[in-house]
Amino acid sequence: MRVREVNTFWLSMKGTQACIPQILMSKFLNMFYFLPSLQVLAENLTMVTEFLSLGFSSLGEIQLALFVVFLFLYLVILSGNITIISVIHLGQSLHTPKYFFLVILSTSETFYTFAILSKMLINLLSVARTIFFMCCAIQMFFFLGFAITNCLLLGVMGYDHYAAICHPRHYPILMSWQVCGKLAAVCGTGSFLASLTVVSFVFSLPFCSANKVNHYFCDISPVICLACTNTDVNEFVIFICGVLVLVVPFFFICISYLCILRTILKIPSAEGRWKAFPTCVSHLIVVIVHYGCASFIYLRPTANYVFNKDRLVTVTYTTVTPLLNPMINSLRNKDVQLAIKKVLGKKEFLKL
């Protein structure tokens, strides 16, 4: 029965005595029935129920070798991040804002890689590479959420370096634990709100018959290419989100490091200048690789997406970048190395 017929039925039954709640309910039903986004979502669920992830299927027998390589990289990333989190937690000397954000970054990258590589490793060994419509949306939501968190955290870490080098006397105030907690909360909340916005605009599109995702996970461009309608508005909103989470933080990082460079050049001794460089250089390497690859993929039209050409860049920001954080940004740090030795020394002492 149509909603309009329901309204007529209620009025005929009650006449002039129709109560206000019933009238309000009928208005609500009319609004609900004609809500465009829910209609599109209903069409999505009836038209496409699952996607087929093509991934590396075109490489044939090489997939087994790729499985071994990616499994090794995943285990290295996982063990490296767990080591950083454990060492910073156990080492009292590392309980500073700098290492606080490193712990959050390591935790975020652990879940970030799990959201992508776990499904990719399964697909490399399986014949059926299907993923349900809702599972695809969930994977994209968590992947983007943790990826954006990493972008914002790198920006916050750049500000931390700026405060430590340019304003050492005011550093305890500028980076107090209360400020650090608020910055971490803003990064996490803002990231997943941005992710929810992007995922909503992607999966509100109608998907008719095409369901082959030319990628090894549910990324924005390969999924939105399958939509059977004009996607210009959706892509524009997603592009604005990309600018906010990539260009804006990178702009502030550049300003921070220009100020840091100016301050370092004013240091009279060469030894003093050298002490400030290692931490900044390691952070800059991670920033350039992460923002460079992400900008190349997400700050351009979907029509320019070509999986075969973009595969190397995609692999870089999904596996190589998470590998750089534990290898360069932390484990090569002298403070972290000293803390690891202390932790291992305590364990040897307890065994004796």
Side-chain angles (χ1 to χ4, degrees):
M1 183 181 291
R2 295 180 61 85
V3 178
R4 189 174 297 174
E5 293 174 357
V6 174
N7 296 342
T8 307
F9 175 75
W10 279 355
L11 292 173
S12 63
M13 291 294 292
K14 299 295 182 180
T16 57
Q17 297 179 350
C19 61
I20 294 175
Q22 289 174 334
I23 297 173
L24 293 175
M25 180 60 72
S26 68
K27 296 292 185 184
F28 174 76
L29 287 173
N30 276 312
M31 180 184 69
F32 185 84
Y33 183 80
F34 290 106
L35 197 62
S37 61
L38 290 179
Q39 280 186 319
V40 171
L41 182 59
E43 290 173 6
N44 289 346
L45 293 174
T46 54
M47 291 181 182
V48 173
T49 58
E50 61 183 19
F51 291 108
L52 177 64
S53 179
L54 298 181
F56 299 97
S57 57
S58 61
L59 299 180
E61 296 179 356
I62 304 177
Q63 290 180 92
L64 184 58
L66 287 176
F67 173 81
V68 175
V69 172
F70 284 120
L71 179 61
F72 173 74
L73 290 174
Y74 178 62
L75 292 176
V76 171
I77 293 168
L78 189 63
S79 58
N81 285 324
I82 291 175
T83 300
I84 291 169
I85 295 169
S86 303
V87 168
I88 294 175
H89 175 71
L90 295 173
Q92 295 294 327
S93 61
L94 300 180
H95 291 181
T96 61
K98 172 185 174 180
Y99 295 105
F100 169 73
F101 289 115
L102 272 177
V103 166
I104 300 176
L105 182 63
S106 297
T107 305
S108 176
E109 288 192 337
T110 300
F111 289 107
Y112 166 80
T113 51
F114 176 78
I116 303 169
L117 295 184
S118 57
K119 181 62 177 175
M120 185 187 72
L121 290 171
I122 294 172
N123 287 343
L124 284 172
L125 292 181
S126 62
V127 178
R129 297 180 173 88
T130 57
I131 181 169
F132 289 111
F133 183 89
M134 189 57 66
C135 293
C136 185
I138 292 171
Q139 185 189 44
M140 185 182 294
F141 171 74
F142 282 107
F143 157 69
L144 290 176
F146 289 116
I148 296 171
T149 300
N150 295 345
C151 289
L152 298 182
L153 282 173
L154 288 172
V156 171
M157 291 168 70
Y159 171 74
D160 175 69
H161 293 158
Y162 161 77
I165 295 173
C166 299
H167 302 283
R169 294 181 180 179
H170 300 93
Y171 182 78
I173 300 173
L174 293 173
M175 295 301 293
S176 64
W177 286 114
Q178 187 177 8
V179 173
C180 290
K182 289 179 180 179
L183 287 172
V186 169
C187 288
T189 306
S191 299
F192 282 94
L193 285 176
S195 175
L196 182 62
T197 302
V198 172
V199 172
S200 299
F201 273 91
V202 171
F203 287 92
S204 64
L205 293 167
F207 296 93
C208 303
S209 56
N211 69 334
K212 293 181 180 180
V213 179
N214 195 13
H215 211 340
Y216 55 85
F217 69 99
C218 290
D219 205 357
I220 297 171
S221 295
V223 172
I224 209 171
C225 284
L226 302 177
C228 53
T229 187
N230 187 280
T231 61
D232 291 343
V233 175
N234 302 65
E235 288 188 49
F236 178 74
V237 174
I238 293 169
F239 175 78
I240 296 299
C241 291
V243 170
L244 291 175
V245 301
L246 288 172
V247 178
V248 174
F250 184 72
F251 176 73
F252 280 107
I253 290 173
C254 291
I255 293 176
S256 298
Y257 274 101
L258 285 174
C259 296
I260 289 171
L261 181 62
R262 187 178 63 179
T263 303
I264 289 175
L265 293 176
K266 290 180 180 179
I267 299 174
S269 64
E271 184 180 355
R273 289 196 296 268
W274 176 248
K275 284 182 179 180
F277 269 111
T279 303
C280 297
V281 170
S282 61
H283 179 252
L284 273 175
I285 292 172
V286 176
V287 166
I288 291 170
V289 175
H290 185 84
Y291 280 93
C293 294
S295 299
F296 177 78
I297 295 295
Y298 296 110
L299 296 182
R300 60 177 183 164
T302 302
N304 293 343
Y305 171 78
V306 180
F307 176 65
N308 292 330
K309 293 182 179 179
D310 298 344
R311 183 183 297 170
L312 180 60
V313 180
T314 307
V315 170
T316 300
Y317 77 79
T318 55
T319 55
V320 177
T321 305
L323 192 65
L324 288 176
N325 175 45
M327 298 301 293
I328 295 178
N329 214 14
S330 301
L331 296 180
R332 288 177 59 86
N333 187 294
K334 291 183 179 180
D335 294 333
V336 175
Q337 291 175 357
L338 184 61
I340 292 174
K341 290 178 182 178
K342 286 183 178 180
V343 170
L344 294 176
K346 287 181 181 179
K347 288 184 178 180
E348 291 295 330
F349 178 75
L350 290 173
K351 287 181 181 179
L352 293 174

